[in-house]
């Protein structure tokens, strides 16, 4: 995947509060409450929620089917943080022999591997190839066709 597909997060993302409803419970019935009451005063900023370190975060679009079993599909948008130290079980963006891949980092028999979420693809032995982790996937944004 070419470097032009990487989209860096803004160093200081602008606040973009969106409505974030909070279901409220009531101690008793005392008439009919306003339907707008459940939506009072609560907002969600996706930058604040998904981008913990703007200086080390980038976005990346997914191609291929190798991670479908892990709910990462072609066309999804990944939120990747390059400041997180990769650990077994993390999903990584890595450069393997010059090609960017998205794989799960695993240790099998004391050796590091990059594994797919699709049984058609064999694990990649990271120690045997030129391999460099670029970052850990923090979130996957999946859009439904509507």
């Amino acid at each position: 995947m070419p470097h032009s597909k990487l989209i860096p997060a803004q160093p200081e993302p602008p606040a973009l509060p969106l409505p974030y409803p909070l279901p409220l419970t009531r101690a008793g019935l005392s008439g009919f409450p306003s339907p707008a009451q459940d939506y009072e005063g609560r907002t969600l900023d996706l930058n604040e929620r998904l981008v913990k370190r703007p200086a080390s975060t980038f976005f990346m679009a997914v191609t291929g089917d190798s991670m479908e079993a892990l709910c990462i599909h072609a066309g999804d948008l990944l939120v990747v943080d390059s400041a997180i130290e990769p650990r077994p079980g993390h999903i990584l963006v890595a450069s393997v022999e010059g090609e960017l891949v998205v794989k799960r980092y695993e240790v099998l028999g004391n050796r590091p591997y990059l594994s797919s979420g699709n049984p058609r693809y064999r694990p990649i032995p990271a120690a045997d190839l030129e391999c460099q982790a670029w970052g850990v996937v923090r979130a996957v944004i999946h859009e439904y066709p509507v």
Side-chain angles (χ1 to χ4, degrees):
M1 177 174 289
H3 300 289
S4 62
K5 298 272 185 184
L6 303 178
I7 306 164
Q10 292 184 0
E12 303 249 348
L16 183 59
L18 301 171
Y20 188 45
L22 172 65
L24 301 175
T25 56
R26 294 175 182 79
L29 296 176
S30 59
F32 296 100
S34 166
Q37 187 175 2
D38 288 345
Y39 300 97
E40 288 178 358
R42 190 139 185 241
T43 61
L44 170 70
D45 183 340
L46 292 177
N47 285 316
E48 184 179 317
R49 174 73 188 251
L50 300 176
V51 179
K52 303 301 181 193
R53 291 182 270 301
S56 63
T57 299
F58 60 93
F59 300 92
M60 181 177 171
V62 176
T63 59
D65 64 353
S66 72
M67 298 299 283
E68 285 183 351
L70 298 173
C71 299
I72 299 175
H73 303 277
D76 287 354
L77 187 66
L78 303 179
V79 180
V80 183
D81 191 333
S82 62
I84 298 174
E85 186 68 31
R87 293 192 315 253
H90 281 165
I91 296 174
L92 306 179
V93 172
S95 174
V96 178
E97 299 288 318
E99 179 183 356
L100 287 181
V101 297
V102 178
K103 303 289 180 197
R104 184 187 347 217
Y105 173 47
E106 296 180 337
V107 177
L108 306 170
N110 291 325
R111 296 193 56 167
Y113 284 86
L114 298 176
S115 300
S116 296
N118 187 327
R120 293 186 338 196
Y121 302 101
R122 297 175 55 157
I124 299 169
D128 298 343
L129 301 170
E130 183 182 324
C131 182
Q132 178 183 5
W134 278 35
V136 174
V137 175
R138 288 194 47 83
V140 179
I141 301 170
H142 178 80
E143 293 183 66
Y144 295 101
V146 291

